[in-house]
Amino acid sequence: MSIRHILFDLDGTLLPMVQDEFVKFYMPLLAKAYLAEGVQIDPKDFIASVWTGYKAMVKNDGSRTNREAFWSCIDEQLPIGASESERIALDFYNGDFNQAICVTWPNPLADQVVKKAKERGMETYLATNPVFPRCATRNRIRWAGLDAEDFRIITTYEDCRFCKPNPKYFEGILEAFSLDPEECLMVGNDVEEDLAIRTLGVKTYLVTDTMENKKNLPVTSEFAGSMEELLAFIGGLS
């Protein structure tokens, strides 16, 4: 098997976490950031609005960026304009958001896995679901102990027009770099989101340490194992 390109998921894969715990921790912090700026919101309603914006990104039809889809949706539900709201959000993601590292458990094997792939002559891509701003994603990369420079692309909501599990999200990466699906491997932990790339002919490696399968979908992946086993697997690729 000749693999020349590896696409890595971030949350739950290179940065081990349980998504629900992560979200439950940082969402109230985000609401507090708005309250601290004097924005009159009810935290529960605000969090519900953020989820509505998230769903707008997941349903994005490609006619606009995920950033535009999110803010145009949430704009209708907040008492301040989208530009001011985004400023508060970006200040948060550059600051207090970093407290959320406490509900993740960074694994030094993550950086070793990426570096091993590069050592073996493979190109690496950070195919993280593009629902966060660039600054929030770069912070999570840092929490994970990774080097952002190791990736040819880091997908964020500013640049992408689709989300996982929409195959068009993955298509965008393959097309941007003229990648042959048969030479690619997707490494992820989410059965629904990450294994969706298989419809494009890309093989997958399901990381089982923090596997998520909220919908109890059938698990079909060419490869599966722990991060430790993934490191050995990549080391053995030709």
Side-chain angles (χ1 to χ4, degrees):
M1 180 177 64
S2 180
I3 296 296
R4 296 179 55 200
H5 309 276
I6 303 186
L7 287 68
F8 288 99
D9 172 57
L10 178 60
D11 299 331
T13 302
L14 294 181
L15 178 61
M17 66 166 69
V18 175
Q19 285 276 5
D20 285 348
E21 291 177 6
F22 176 64
V23 170
K24 283 176 186 173
F25 182 88
Y26 91 79
M27 283 277 204
L29 289 180
L30 179 58
K32 283 181 185 176
Y34 278 76
L35 290 169
E37 291 275 351
V39 183
Q40 299 299 309
I41 57 164
D42 174 88
K44 287 185 180 178
D45 291 343
F46 172 79
I47 290 170
S49 296
V50 173
W51 276 115
T52 302
Y54 168 80
K55 290 172 185 173
M57 290 189 286
V58 172
K59 293 176 181 175
N60 195 357
D61 61 4
S63 59
R64 52 190 174 172
T65 64
N66 290 342
R67 171 180 172 266
E68 291 165 340
F70 178 83
W71 288 111
S72 64
C73 174
I74 202 172
D75 185 36
E76 304 164 3
Q77 304 175 55
L78 294 180
I80 56 174
S83 60
E84 176 65 6
S85 187
E86 185 174 27
R87 180 195 65 76
I88 296 171
L90 293 179
D91 285 348
F92 165 76
Y93 285 120
N94 274 309
D96 286 348
F97 176 63
N98 287 298
Q99 295 177 35
I101 190 176
C102 72
V103 287
T104 70
W105 50 95
N107 184 344
L109 287 175
D111 187 54
Q112 292 175 39
V113 162
V114 175
K115 296 237 179 342
K116 176 63 71 175
K118 292 179 70 68
E119 222 177 81
R120 303 285 295 174
M122 298 163 208
E123 298 281 6
T124 52
Y125 309 76
L126 196 64
T128 178
N129 209 8
V131 296
F132 280 102
R134 188 175 293 108
C135 60
T137 300
R138 290 190 75 90
N139 274 327
R140 298 194 327 283
I141 290 168
R142 180 174 52 79
W143 302 351
L146 304 169
D147 294 323
E149 295 72 25
D150 281 341
F151 303 102
R152 289 186 80 188
I153 190 174
I154 296 167
T155 54
T156 64
Y157 87 159
E158 289 95 342
D159 305 315
C160 293
R161 293 172 176 267
F162 299 101
C163 292
K164 300 177 185 178
N166 190 334
K168 288 183 182 295
Y169 160 72
F170 297 107
E171 276 179 4
I173 299 173
L174 300 184
E175 290 172 4
F177 296 96
S178 301
L179 306 184
D180 179 348
E182 292 186 1
E183 296 179 339
C184 297
L185 178 72
M186 175 72 207
V187 175
N189 73 306
D190 192 294
V191 172
E192 180 184 19
E193 292 188 353
D194 298 317
L195 303 191
I197 198 173
R198 295 183 72 252
T199 62
L200 304 178
V202 174
K203 294 179 178 64
T204 57
Y205 190 108
L206 182 65
V207 177
T208 54
D209 297 329
T210 49
M211 184 182 83
E212 296 215 14
N213 188 8
K214 293 175 184 173
K215 295 182 179 177
N216 291 314
L217 299 171
V219 179
T220 306
S221 180
E222 284 77 12
F223 311 102
S226 65
M227 283 295 289
E228 191 170 355
E229 289 169 323
L230 173 62
L231 181 61
F233 175 82
I234 290 177
L237 289 174
S238 55

